[in-house]
Amino acid sequence: MTNSNTNDSPTMKTTASSTLQDETYTTLRQWLSLGRWLPGERLKIKQLAQDMQVGEMPVRTALQRLVAEKALANIPNCGVTVPQLSRTQFDDILQTRMLLEGEAAEKGARNLSSTDLKLLEELTATMDEAIRNHDVKGYLTANEDFHVTLYRASGSAMLLSLIESVWLHVGPISNQLHQDPHVWSIMNDCHEDMMRALHRKDPSAVRRAIERDLFNAGQYLKTLCN
């Protein structure tokens, strides 16, 4: 009995440790996509571990994975930081987003269920309220849920995975959209256009609205790049 328990313990510990590392990575990845940190900001392992109520090791491992994905940068004598995009890099990311998200939106519009359509209506209303209250985090969270709901309806796991990978690079800079009052006030216009197109059952118009949404926000965000 003693030998059996001894042999089982390392396996159970490894599984639990692996799960905790994955959960920590997933959480940090989502925080990065939602713009929790600004470009150039340094991420401190001890503080992140306290925020997430986990040990420092899973945080360190998760940060290493994000550095390997180029979502974060490891700067000598500074540590892990959020990258600052050049305008060239941002243009490349924007064009990639328009291609991927335009395709996912059009496919999603063809397959969207009535339940998902209702959810998109609710999220559009939530974004309107967030804009009125100048709630940047609330807007970004509802915005991500809106896009994920629409893109997931495409039925393409590969498209969604690629899109989420690209989001890692623009989350931090997207957190600064509210700095221009005019840009901030019209952030939901394209979503409302999408909803009208969805009700008309016009997938091509949904695609154009998504592309316009990304392009319009991108023109302002590009001015914040190096």
Side-chain angles (χ1 to χ4, degrees):
M1 180 66 72
T2 302
N3 288 340
S4 175
N5 287 340
T6 302
N7 290 337
D8 288 347
S9 295
T11 303
M12 293 172 65
K13 183 177 180 181
T14 300
T15 301
S17 176
S18 177
T19 300
L20 180 59
Q21 287 182 1
D22 289 341
E23 290 175 353
T24 303
Y25 165 77
T26 299
T27 299
L28 290 176
R29 202 173 191 271
Q30 183 178 34
W31 285 358
L32 190 59
S33 294
L34 289 174
R36 187 182 178 106
W37 307 289
L38 295 174
E41 188 170 348
R42 180 184 176 189
L43 304 186
K44 299 179 180 179
I45 293 174
K46 185 175 181 180
Q47 184 59 57
L48 290 173
Q50 290 175 354
D51 292 344
M52 303 176 72
Q53 298 184 333
V54 298
E56 294 184 15
M57 183 57 71
V59 172
R60 183 177 288 107
T61 300
L63 292 178
Q64 289 172 348
R65 288 177 66 178
L66 290 167
V67 168
E69 294 176 18
K70 302 188 184 304
L72 295 173
N74 197 351
I75 309 298
N77 303 318
C78 181
V80 176
T81 63
V82 178
Q84 293 179 300
L85 297 174
S86 68
R87 292 195 178 195
T88 300
Q89 289 172 320
F90 183 83
D91 276 337
D92 188 27
I93 291 170
L94 179 59
Q95 290 300 316
T96 301
R97 289 191 68 188
M98 291 173 69
L99 285 169
L100 293 174
E101 297 184 44
E103 181 69 11
E106 185 168 353
K107 285 186 173 182
R110 299 182 190 282
N111 302 319
L112 201 68
S113 68
S114 57
T115 300
D116 283 340
L117 183 61
K118 187 175 186 302
L119 175 58
L120 293 181
E121 290 173 342
E122 293 170 354
L123 290 168
T124 301
T126 299
M127 285 186 278
D128 265 338
E129 184 178 0
I131 289 171
R132 286 195 300 271
N133 296 330
H134 215 71
D135 178 7
V136 180
K137 289 186 177 179
Y139 174 86
L140 290 174
T141 299
N143 181 64
E144 182 186 40
D145 290 343
F146 181 100
H147 287 259
V148 168
T149 299
L150 178 57
Y151 301 162
R152 189 173 286 147
S154 71
S156 174
M158 177 61 73
L159 258 180
L160 194 61
S161 176
L162 291 171
I163 289 168
E164 289 177 341
S165 294
V166 175
W167 281 352
L168 290 175
H169 301 280
V170 293
I173 198 171
S174 296
N175 198 13
Q176 301 174 77
L177 279 168
H178 68 290
Q179 293 180 1
D180 185 312
H182 173 67
V183 173
W184 180 242
S185 67
I186 63 172
M187 281 305 301
N188 214 25
D189 289 4
C190 290
H191 296 115
E192 291 170 352
D193 287 345
M194 278 180 248
M195 293 310 304
R196 286 189 284 270
L198 285 169
H199 283 296
R200 293 197 311 270
K201 300 187 184 303
D202 187 347
S204 295
V206 173
R207 180 179 195 138
R208 291 194 298 272
I210 282 284
E211 291 172 343
R212 190 166 62 255
D213 178 36
L214 298 175
F215 181 81
N216 290 345
Q219 297 318 291
Y220 170 68
L221 292 175
K222 186 163 59 173
T223 68
L224 305 177
C225 296
N226 294 334

